[in-house]
Amino acid sequence: MADSGTTPGKFVARLVWVVIGVLVIGLGSGLLKAINVGVDPYTAANIGISNLIGWDLGSYQLLSNLVLFIPMLIWGRKYIGIDSIVNMVFARVRDPVLRGSAVSARAG
């Protein structure tokens, strides 16, 4: 795995910033979806496919990320760090935000 910091303190600081970043991305996507502006293409595809097959978004996005993670294990192992894992797994946590339960910007 990639170097994730030389000391435990740097590792924890990096982990905290990764979690904050993932949550901000989730809130931003949720806000864009709630105000009907649209989301990024990858999230839009995941929303469409998860609706089509009847899965919740978080579960489908986790599966999608796992599938995409396999080539990274084969050809890009040196680029994988704790941040890669956290971002992949937190897709499940971002699901309620993207469904609009955490962000309610609907007029009316």
Side-chain angles (χ1 to χ4, degrees):
M1 289 201 175
D3 180 26
S4 58
T6 56
T7 65
K10 286 184 180 180
F11 177 80
V12 170
R14 183 174 174 174
L15 186 61
V16 167
W17 281 111
V18 166
V19 170
I20 290 170
V22 168
L23 292 174
V24 167
I25 290 170
L27 286 171
S29 294
L31 179 63
L32 291 173
K33 187 171 184 283
I35 61 176
N36 292 320
V37 176
V39 294
D40 61 280
Y42 183 68
T43 303
N46 284 339
I47 290 170
I49 294 169
S50 67
N51 287 337
L52 185 67
I53 63 175
W55 286 19
D56 66 284
L57 176 61
S59 297
Y60 176 75
Q61 196 154 354
L62 181 58
L63 175 67
S64 172
N65 288 340
L66 284 171
V67 168
L68 293 173
F69 190 64
I70 293 169
M72 285 301 295
L73 285 174
I74 297 168
W75 295 295
R77 186 176 293 250
K78 68 181 180 179
Y79 300 111
I80 300 171
I82 188 66
D83 36 6
S84 303
I85 307 299
V86 169
N87 188 35
M88 182 176 69
V89 172
F90 264 66
R92 184 75 173 107
V93 174
R94 289 191 312 240
D95 176 36
V97 175
L98 289 172
R99 282 187 286 147
S101 61
V103 178
S104 181
R106 294 182 184 97

